[in-house]
Amino acid sequence: RQVFGLSTATVGDAAGFSAETALPTPIFYSRGRWDFSKVSFSGDVVQRILVQGFSLFLVGTVEVLMTVEVVKNMLDTKEPCADQQMFATTLGNFVCGLLGAAEGDT
């Protein structure tokens, strides 16, 4: 595409999209087979995974707390059970991450 004389790449230009590639799959699963040779568990990789995971956990926690506060103000409730909301949302986000889905805060 050309916009203002500049070309703009689309998702289709970067990667093909078909019924076979519509669902996310782990990098170590290909053509119906599990291949763990592509997975590296070196110290550097594990450290990066832990740091990124903890960072995302903190962001998710703040997001849940803000949502609880908004819901509390909208419903004029005195004491919503923030602990249960936090646990349920965290568990849901964890399961979504395992399944390759985009987690969120609802």
Side-chain angles (χ1 to χ4, degrees), residues 17-98:
F17 188 76
S18 66
E20 291 82 28
T21 62
L23 296 175
T25 57
I27 62 168
F28 47 83
Y29 185 77
S30 177
R31 297 183 182 136
R33 295 184 43 216
W34 296 94
D35 180 14
F36 290 100
S37 64
K38 298 177 184 177
V39 179
S40 168
F41 289 108
S42 67
D44 182 48
V45 171
V46 172
Q47 180 183 1
R48 286 177 37 205
I49 289 171
L50 291 175
V51 168
Q52 290 176 0
F54 187 72
S55 299
L56 291 172
F57 167 76
L58 288 177
V59 169
T61 300
V62 171
E63 185 180 8
V64 169
L65 292 173
M66 289 189 312
T67 301
V68 167
E69 188 65 27
V70 168
V71 169
K72 183 176 86 170
N73 289 338
M74 287 176 59
L75 299 178
D76 289 329
T77 58
K78 293 182 180 183
E79 191 68 35
C81 192
D83 291 342
Q84 287 180 348
Q85 170 98 17
M86 175 88 67
F87 177 77
T89 305
T90 303
L91 181 63
N93 287 343
F94 178 74
V95 171
C96 284
L98 289 178

Side-chain angles (χ1 to χ4, degrees), residues 6-22:
L6 303 170
S7 70
T8 304
T10 63
V11 173
D13 296 335
F17 188 76
S18 66
E20 291 82 28
T21 62

